[in-house]
């Protein structure tokens, strides 16, 4: 397995529910290192651009509204096999299908308010990290 970086977003529902620390703790307890982190309020253009792969899907407009509904916390996680590892920690997209003990099982309330985003491939991770961070904002260690 290779040392990787992946993009994680704590979505507006989880930020609003005061779960930033609990979610970041899941990453750190699993051995993933937070090598970049910031809070921001997404503009419509940022939300649409981030989720461009889903444009045209029936849920796209509500997904964009949801992502703009409050501040998000975006972070770069680094570690062995970080992309898959983060997806495992997150659990399934629909929290009703997420395994017990995963972030979405514990903190998400609906598929449309599912607490976290995580890159799903090395290609997505590269694009998504670059979408939110410049190289000077990332502190690999
Ligand atoms: P994931 O976030 O697990 O990578 P995805 O890329 O398929 O899932 O979808 C991106 C987000 O879009 C997902 O986190 C929540 C929303 N979404 C996906 N499918 C949905 C659906 N059927 N109804 C409502 N929202 C949905
Ligand atoms: Mg996805």
């Amino acid at each position: 397995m290779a040392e990787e970086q992946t993009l994680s977003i704590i979505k507006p529902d989880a930020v609003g529910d005061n779960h930033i620390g609990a979610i970041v703790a899941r990453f750190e307890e699993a051995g993933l290192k937070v090598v970049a982190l910031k809070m921001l309020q997404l503009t419509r253009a940022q939300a649409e651009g981030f989720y461009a792969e889903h444009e045209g899907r029936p849920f796209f407009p509500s997904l964009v509204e949801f992502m703009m509904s409050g501040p998000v916390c975006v972070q770069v996680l680094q570690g062995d096999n970080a992309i898959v590892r983060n997806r495992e920690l997150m659990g399934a997209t629909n929290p009703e299908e997420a395994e017990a003990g995963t972030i979405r099982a514990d903190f998400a309330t609906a598929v449309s308010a599912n607490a976290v985003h995580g890159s799903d491939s090395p290609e997505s991770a590269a694009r998504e990290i670059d979408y939110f961070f410049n190289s000077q904002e990332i502190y690999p260690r």
Side-chain angles (χ1 to χ4, degrees):
M1 281 187 278
E3 186 81 358
E4 291 177 336
Q5 292 182 347
T6 190
L7 185 87
S8 163
I9 304 179
I10 303 175
K11 294 183 178 183
D13 58 329
V15 171
D17 290 341
N18 227 11
H19 294 316
I20 296 172
I23 291 172
V24 171
R26 299 284 177 104
F27 303 140
E28 294 189 330
E29 284 160 7
L32 295 177
K33 291 176 278 194
V34 177
V35 297
L37 179 144
K38 64 183 160 193
M39 199 168 203
L40 71 165
Q41 170 72 53
L42 297 184
T43 64
R44 183 172 302 278
Q46 276 177 312
E48 287 176 347
F50 183 76
Y51 276 122
E53 65 173 309
H54 295 303
E55 207 172 342
R57 302 257 180 104
F59 59 80
F60 183 75
S62 56
L63 173 62
V64 168
E65 291 299 328
F66 167 65
M67 292 302 289
M68 295 169 58
S69 67
V72 297
C73 191
V74 294
Q75 47 279 323
V76 178
L77 306 177
Q78 184 187 311
D80 208 32
N81 205 22
I83 297 167
V84 166
R85 194 79 195 90
N86 180 43
R87 296 288 306 196
E88 290 170 352
L89 294 171
M90 290 164 58
T93 305
N94 183 344
E96 288 175 16
E97 293 164 11
E99 243 182 89
T102 61
I103 293 168
R104 281 168 165 168
D106 290 344
F107 301 118
T109 52
V111 65
S112 55
N114 62 2
V116 280
H117 167 85
S119 308
D120 64 4
S121 68
E123 295 70 29
S124 313
R127 182 187 88 88
E128 293 174 359
I129 290 168
D130 189 52
Y131 196 83
F132 287 116
F133 293 97
N134 65 51
S135 60
Q136 292 184 322
E137 296 174 308
I138 303 174
Y139 299 87
R141 60 182 201 275

